Amino acid sequence: MASAVQEVWRLRSCRAASTGLTVPMILDSGDAARVAAIDFQCAPHVGMRFELDATTWEVTRAKDHVRGWVAQPVPIPWSAA
């Protein structure tokens, strides 16, 4: 299942990839994890934030030759809860 996401903060330009880049992302919420194929407008990078399923996620680990991309939910500040 592919999911289109909206990047929350653009920390660097999107010149590294064309539009419609689909990336498998491990969504690790702490007590459970799942994998989603996500359409990004640019290549993901550590620290990048995006919204998916009413949750803001932050990429916490880059893909390497052994492991894939990992994102974790951004904690909600107590004042906003």
Side-chain angles (χ1 to χ4, degrees):
M1 175 176 87
S3 302
V5 297
Q6 179 179 17
E7 187 176 343
V8 177
W9 293 312
R10 293 192 182 240
L11 300 176
R12 65 182 189 186
S13 68
C14 293
R15 60 181 185 249
S18 62
T19 59
L21 178 66
T22 302
V23 176
M25 182 74 63
I26 300 168
L27 304 173
D28 182 3
S29 61
D31 57 347
R34 62 188 170 118
V35 177
I38 302 175
D39 292 327
F40 286 103
Q41 294 300 311
C42 63
H45 52 78
V46 174
M48 174 182 187
R49 292 185 176 191
F50 60 92
E51 289 185 4
L52 179 67
D53 298 335
T55 302
T56 301
W57 297 86
E58 181 174 343
V59 178
T60 56
R61 188 177 71 204
K63 180 183 182 218
D64 60 22
H65 65 285
V66 176
R67 299 180 182 115
W69 292 97
V70 176
Q72 295 180 322
V74 175
I76 300 171
W78 287 103
S79 60

